[in-house]
Amino acid sequence: MMPSLFIAHGAPSLALEEHAYTEFLQKLGQELPKPKAIILFSAHWESTTQLVSSVANYETIYDFGGFQPELYQIKYPAQGHEETTAEIQRLFANAGIPVESDFVRGLDHGAWVVLRLLYPNADIPVVTLSVNRYLSNEQQYQVGKALATLREQDVLVIGSGGTVHNLRQLNWESAGVDPWAMAFDNWLHDKLMSWDTTSLFAYDKLAPSAQAAVPTPEHFVPLLLAMGAGDQNKQASLLFKAYQYGNLSLSCWKFD
């Protein structure tokens, strides 16, 4: 059975960087069994209705500004997968989750930066899904859980976001880690490892520095979606953790 993954996508410039995290993601893509397809929830595709892509050939979206010119030349020409799109729609219908198809959206940087590091040849079909920041945390988990059986069909589930993601708090010159960011991630680590969903669903009230770490929920939501997809076995593993710019977390969690 394929795992589900939560992967922090950092800043768009991650696509050009070479360091321990990019090396880790490249190695992870080589070590995982090759999936039949990938479904990916991106923090940068928000909708109040659950959307699932139904695209034959994706365009690459440059949904950022002010970065290196070469970033805007990168293409990730992944193809869609109608069979998986149809199965997602069926599973959501069975779970009573309204879903609509999207026929035009390409891959935003929350998707292609991660996918290009994992699978640089773009030779695995991809289906992307939107996130809805207005659902409760428990509802986010249930959305991921609805798709859990796809893992048995060799489909890799990815939530792409960030646990500590506060652009107003970034210190571009810092090589250290802000204590508040570390405290939040340490609390999160304990709750994920013990699969304490009661606490996790109330992270915004219980976790230290939650408001600083998660000023808006869209980058945190993919963690709950990926975790929900791992509900069957309830086993969490932290595969990587580091920080950039003082507090931007670069972490990867696996749910078996």
Side-chain angles (χ1 to χ4, degrees):
M1 181 188 299
M2 295 297 296
S4 60
L5 301 172
F6 169 76
I7 300 177
H9 56 248
S13 54
L14 188 73
L16 300 175
E17 297 169 3
E18 295 182 1
H19 47 60
Y21 187 50
T22 57
E23 291 175 5
F24 158 76
L25 290 176
Q26 291 164 348
K27 187 177 179 182
L28 180 62
Q30 297 168 8
E31 292 179 345
L32 288 171
K34 187 173 183 178
K36 178 180 74 175
I38 300 167
I39 67 172
L40 187 147
F41 292 92
S42 172
H44 290 278
W45 187 14
E46 291 194 70
S47 173
T48 54
T49 299
Q50 180 64 61
L51 298 176
V52 56
S53 65
S54 184
V55 173
N57 297 285
Y58 286 101
E59 299 290 333
T60 305
I61 300 174
Y62 308 101
D63 52 329
F64 47 81
F67 287 88
Q68 303 95 315
E70 52 266 44
L71 265 179
Y72 303 87
Q73 304 303 315
I74 294 175
K75 305 287 186 184
Y76 191 78
Q79 296 183 338
H81 199 246
E82 278 302 309
E83 175 188 339
T84 300
T85 295
E87 182 65 4
I88 290 169
Q89 291 170 328
R90 187 186 71 80
L91 291 170
F92 277 149
N94 288 347
I97 298 171
V99 60
E100 297 179 5
S101 296
D102 179 277
F103 300 96
V104 297
R105 185 178 173 87
L107 299 177
D108 58 59
H109 80 273
W112 67 258
V113 169
V114 168
L115 292 171
R116 183 169 172 267
L117 286 165
L118 289 171
Y119 302 108
N121 294 326
D123 56 353
I124 300 172
V126 175
V127 177
T128 55
L129 297 105
S130 64
V131 302
N132 180 0
R133 68 166 73 187
Y134 300 105
L135 297 179
S136 70
N137 293 321
E138 183 172 3
Q139 287 174 317
Q140 306 287 4
Y141 184 94
Q142 294 300 327
V143 170
K145 184 178 177 180
L147 304 182
T149 56
L150 285 171
R151 297 171 49 212
E152 301 171 358
Q153 303 172 36
D154 297 326
V155 174
L156 178 62
V157 179
I158 298 176
S160 175
T163 56
V164 181
H165 185 274
N166 187 339
L167 301 184
R168 294 189 176 186
Q169 294 289 335
L170 297 184
N171 180 352
W172 296 92
E173 306 302 323
S174 175
V177 182
D178 293 340
W180 61 266
M182 184 69 77
F184 178 81
D185 268 346
N186 286 344
W187 181 93
L188 195 60
H189 179 278
D190 291 344
K191 306 310 176 190
L192 287 167
M193 293 299 291
S194 59
W195 214 271
D196 181 357
T197 52
T198 300
S199 295
L200 285 166
F201 294 160
Y203 80 89
D204 50 334
K205 301 177 182 63
L206 300 178
S209 301
Q211 282 65 46
V214 188
T216 55
E218 77 288 342
H219 276 72
F220 189 83
V221 164
L223 175 70
L224 298 174
L225 294 164
M227 186 186 185
D231 179 82
Q232 183 176 352
N233 295 325
K234 296 181 174 61
Q235 294 180 353
S237 304
L238 178 61
L239 302 184
F240 192 96
K241 185 172 82 170
Y243 297 86
Q244 286 183 311
Y245 319 124
N247 52 66
L248 182 65
S249 65
L250 299 177
S251 59
C252 178
W253 283 90
K254 181 176 74 166
F255 304 103
D256 289 301

